[in-house]
Amino acid sequence: MNAGFIASLERQAENRSAARPLKPVVDRLLIIGLDGATFEILNPLLDAGRMPHLKRFMENGVWGVLNSTQPPITPAAWTTFMTGKGPGRHGILDFETYDPTTHCLTFNSTYEIREKTLWQLLSEKGLRVGSISVPMTYPPKPVNGFMISGFETPSTDAQFTWPPELKEEIFRLIPDYDYRTNWRRTAIGRRARLADNLEYIATSFDHGALLTRYCGDKFGWDVLMVVFKLVDNLQHKAWKYLDPRTSGRYPQEAELAARCFTRLDDVLGELLEYADRHNATVLVMSDHGHGSLDGKAQPNLLLHRWGYLGLKSGLEQARTRAGYWWHRLTKGRATRFEQGSRAIEHDLAVDWTRTRACVMHAGIYGYLYINLKGRGPLGIVPPEQYEPLREELQQRLASATVRHPDGRVTPIFVGVHKTEELLGCSREENPNLPDLLLAPHPGFAVVRKIRGRQPVRWCSISRLEGTHRVEGVLAMGGPNIRRGNRVDANIIDITPTALAALGLRVPVDMEGRVITEAFSVEPVVEQEPPVEKVRKVAAEAYTEEDRRVLEHRLADLGYLE
């Protein structure tokens, strides 16, 4: 590790008086992340008295909706939170990135984040930071404090902590610490299996609180954060037991799921007490919201039906799949990333000689690429036809509708965006951006595969799961926070708000605002020069085995379909 950088952090930490040029309204800040949390689930639990600590905290502070990024997906949202800048600036749009020049997919990591994070900015100012299980922090980077990387860490075999020696301390504290989602299914004994799954999730909450207290006390802190990632997994998998519209059909399972949230509330109570002992202001947030997954939108079926996407004949499909399986037999089980275009064609059987556009991957939203000649090895669309074709596709997809099983006609997509316009960036700086970003109707998730003949595959109530929404949660309490106010904000606002509240200047190039209305004593807001971009590291964070583990983990939650 760079000795000069570490020495610089040590010198800055010794001179804390120079770190806060403005009058702070927050001495210390504890941030608690409830991944994917939504008031649609929390409010009924609060009203039923199942989460008394969170209810009291909200009543004594401010709370409201925290709107997420587009797409409202974990890596884009948490990176936006950490940088105060949108995906067009920091470069992370999804778990994976499609490179149209090579026709391949890769996983994102901290190596791909182009902007400095809150942890780096605070470290450079001499403040002490701690980050526990925040997504998009693997591999961990040096900070003035400690970091335990998040959900995208492949396993505990990886180096997942800063400083490196913290890893062994974690195992002494929590011998079975791991990164598995561990949601298991069974044909018989389903209720017992559900109880086991929920106990695993609740135990992860206990682990998060234990690490927060232990590492906070060991390293000291000015800003400390923990994310409870499995709140998101719980809602993906147990939505029908949590949603008031369906939970009554499953009273025993609903009680088990509610108890899991009560266990989360117990942990919140411990952390709120810990914050109070350290005179810390507390910010509770989610990266996005959640709702029922009512149907899976299939834009590639529409593209095929309209003549933009060509599929191979049955014989050619068989050959492609034979090549896929031969690769598995001779080189081991390969992921969609290792097999490049072969894996895409296995899912879609695309004839690229007759394909002008295709949704190359999907993660809640759809990522559509025009098969542009000269951009990639298989392109056929002449450059002069690119923009007219993009306009045409945008209009057709935006006007596509589907009849719901209850008779309602709804649009399949509520937004079909030219991505650089949506994100306020240039395609030259972001050459891998999709040409169109497809935002599905609430309740739908976009998938890449084509199954059946309907543009939306409806999900049955008996197998109902959850999917993401834009509307997340925000609550703040503690010293100098107003009481009883409703405050709505955007996830991009959190880092500038934290900087100003701590008595630091906000870089002029941050895209978020300071949420001044949350404070009883308004923070001083001054700007400073823009933050220097992070130099991209020419390294691969993941081995083939790592990618295999992550693909399974993400596919299990419906992110890679």
Side-chain angles (χ1 to χ4, degrees):
M1 202 60 66
N2 187 299
F5 176 80
I6 297 172
S8 174
L9 291 182
E10 291 172 348
R11 288 194 301 272
Q12 292 164 349
E14 290 170 0
N15 185 19
R16 286 194 61 208
S17 61
R20 304 203 189 193
L22 308 174
K23 184 178 180 180
V25 298
V26 166
D27 181 46
R28 286 177 169 167
L29 179 63
L30 173 63
I31 306 174
I32 303 172
L34 309 180
D35 196 289
T38 171
F39 285 122
E40 187 171 346
I41 298 301
L42 292 180
N43 279 340
L45 293 169
L46 295 170
D47 293 341
R50 305 302 295 252
M51 302 187 76
H53 298 293
L54 179 59
K55 183 172 184 177
R56 191 178 311 114
F57 175 74
M58 290 170 58
E59 289 174 343
N60 292 330
V62 301
W63 63 274
V65 169
L66 188 69
N67 287 302
S68 186
T69 50
Q70 291 196 68
I73 193 166
T74 297
W78 283 120
T79 309
T80 294
F81 148 73
M82 288 189 290
T83 61
K85 299 172 184 177
R89 298 281 294 281
H90 60 62
I92 304 297
L93 200 60
D94 200 349
F95 288 105
E96 56 191 358
T97 293
Y98 172 70
D99 184 347
T101 65
T102 63
H103 200 47
C104 292
L105 290 159
T106 56
F107 266 128
N108 286 318
S109 71
T110 55
Y111 293 153
E112 282 72 48
I113 299 176
R114 300 197 302 251
E115 302 285 346
K116 288 184 179 179
T117 66
L118 178 64
W119 320 121
Q120 293 167 296
L121 295 173
L122 293 174
S123 293
E124 291 173 358
K125 301 289 188 182
L127 274 71
R128 296 165 297 171
V129 302
S131 170
I132 302 168
S133 302
V134 180
M136 292 308 299
T137 55
Y138 178 81
K141 292 186 175 183
V143 294
N144 181 30
F146 73 93
M147 180 171 288
I148 303 169
S149 59
F151 173 74
E152 73 288 354
T153 307
S155 73
T156 52
D157 293 332
Q159 183 51 59
F160 61 89
T161 67
W162 172 265
E165 56 269 22
L166 176 58
K167 176 178 175 179
E168 293 308 315
E169 291 188 55
I170 291 173
F171 288 133
R172 286 196 293 271
L173 191 67
I174 307 172
D176 59 346
Y177 185 79
D178 65 51
Y179 283 93
R180 293 176 297 122
T181 54
N182 210 50
W183 191 273
R184 301 188 181 187
R185 301 172 177 83
T186 184
I188 56 175
R190 292 182 179 178
R191 193 171 298 139
R193 176 63 75 186
L194 174 66
D196 290 343
N197 288 334
L198 295 176
E199 178 59 30
Y200 180 87
I201 290 174
T203 299
S204 78
F205 301 156
D206 295 335
H207 289 171
L210 178 58
L211 287 173
T212 302
R213 296 192 304 271
Y214 175 82
C215 294
D217 290 345
K218 175 183 174 63
F219 291 93
W221 56 282
D222 295 295
V223 179
L224 178 59
M225 180 170 187
V226 59
V227 169
F228 296 102
K229 179 66 181 76
L230 296 192
V231 176
D232 180 73
N233 301 42
L234 169 59
Q235 293 175 143
H236 274 291
K237 294 301 184 183
W239 185 263
K240 64 183 178 182
Y241 308 135
L242 293 165
D243 190 327
R245 298 173 302 172
T246 55
S247 59
R249 304 184 184 192
Y250 313 96
Q252 292 175 290
E253 291 85 354
E255 175 61 23
L256 291 173
R259 287 178 188 173
C260 195
F261 271 94
T262 298
R263 289 277 294 274
L264 174 64
D265 188 70
D266 292 339
V267 163
L268 292 177
E270 294 174 20
L271 294 178
L272 293 173
E273 182 183 356
Y274 181 72
D276 187 57
R277 291 202 309 269
H278 290 81
N279 194 40
T281 299
V282 179
L283 188 154
V284 177
M285 62 175 290
S286 65
D287 56 327
H288 54 75
H290 235 88
S292 59
L293 175 57
D294 305 319
K296 298 180 179 181
Q298 302 191 103
N300 280 329
L301 183 146
L302 293 173
L303 294 175
H304 174 58
R305 182 176 294 170
W306 296 337
Y308 299 106
L309 188 155
L311 298 179
K312 295 178 180 178
S313 67
L315 178 61
E316 289 172 316
Q317 290 182 40
R319 288 173 178 165
T320 299
R321 289 173 180 166
Y324 177 90
W325 286 102
W326 178 250
H327 188 286
R328 283 189 61 169
L329 290 170
T330 57
K331 298 183 180 180
R333 185 182 182 277
T335 69
R336 62 205 260 134
F337 304 96
E338 286 130 41
Q339 289 216 40
S341 63
R342 186 186 293 111
I344 295 170
E345 289 153 15
H346 173 259
D347 279 353
L348 287 173
V350 177
D351 180 351
W352 297 105
T353 65
R354 297 187 296 114
T355 292
R356 291 183 288 162
C358 180
V359 172
M360 297 304 298
H361 66 108
I364 312 301
Y365 282 30
Y367 301 75
L368 182 147
Y369 290 82
I370 289 173
N371 195 20
L372 183 62
K373 190 174 184 178
R375 180 164 67 176
L378 307 172
I380 65 169
V381 176
E384 65 272 14
Q385 294 181 18
Y386 170 82
E387 198 56 48
L389 177 58
R390 188 159 70 145
E391 294 273 359
E392 182 179 320
L393 289 166
Q394 184 180 37
Q395 292 173 14
R396 294 200 71 170
L397 289 165
S399 63
T401 61
V402 66
R403 185 175 294 279
H404 194 276
D406 65 9
R408 289 179 292 123
V409 175
T410 60
I412 300 175
F413 306 103
V414 293
V416 180
H417 305 284
K418 294 181 180 179
T419 317
E420 71 277 14
E421 294 179 1
L422 174 69
L423 303 181
C425 62
S426 71
R427 300 197 67 83
E428 289 72 27
E429 288 183 312
N430 298 271
N432 294 339
L433 282 179
D435 299 306
L436 292 174
L437 187 64
L438 314 184
H441 188 277
F444 296 167
V446 178
V447 296
R448 181 175 78 176
K449 296 177 182 179
I450 296 175
R451 297 290 183 268
R453 297 185 178 184
Q454 299 302 317
V456 173
R457 292 174 10 229
W458 298 104
C459 302
S460 67
I461 293 294
S462 63
R463 302 185 65 181
L464 190 65
E465 296 188 349
T467 190
H468 297 186
R469 299 288 196 276
V470 170
E471 301 83 9
V473 304
L474 171 69
M476 296 178 67
N480 293 329
I481 298 297
R482 292 185 184 275
R483 179 171 179 151
N485 285 28
R486 170 72 183 253
V487 172
D488 295 333
N490 192 292
I491 195 168
I492 206 169
D493 302 329
I494 301 299
T495 280
T497 299
L499 293 174
L502 290 161
L504 304 174
R505 294 186 175 92
V506 179
V508 69
D509 60 338
M510 282 197 173
E511 297 176 297
R513 69 180 181 91
V514 177
I515 311 170
T516 55
E517 65 271 27
F519 298 90
S520 57
V521 177
E522 191 168 308
V524 177
V525 181
E526 290 187 8
Q527 293 183 322
E528 65 179 16
V531 177
E532 182 181 353
K533 279 190 173 290
V534 174
R535 184 177 300 174
K536 186 173 180 179
V537 177
E540 172 56 59
Y542 301 107
T543 66
E544 288 190 11
E545 179 58 29
D546 292 342
R547 290 192 290 267
R548 189 172 295 118
V549 169
L550 288 173
E551 180 182 350
H552 176 77
R553 187 181 302 164
L554 295 172
D556 189 52
L557 293 173
Y559 291 138
L560 304 180
E561 186 170 352

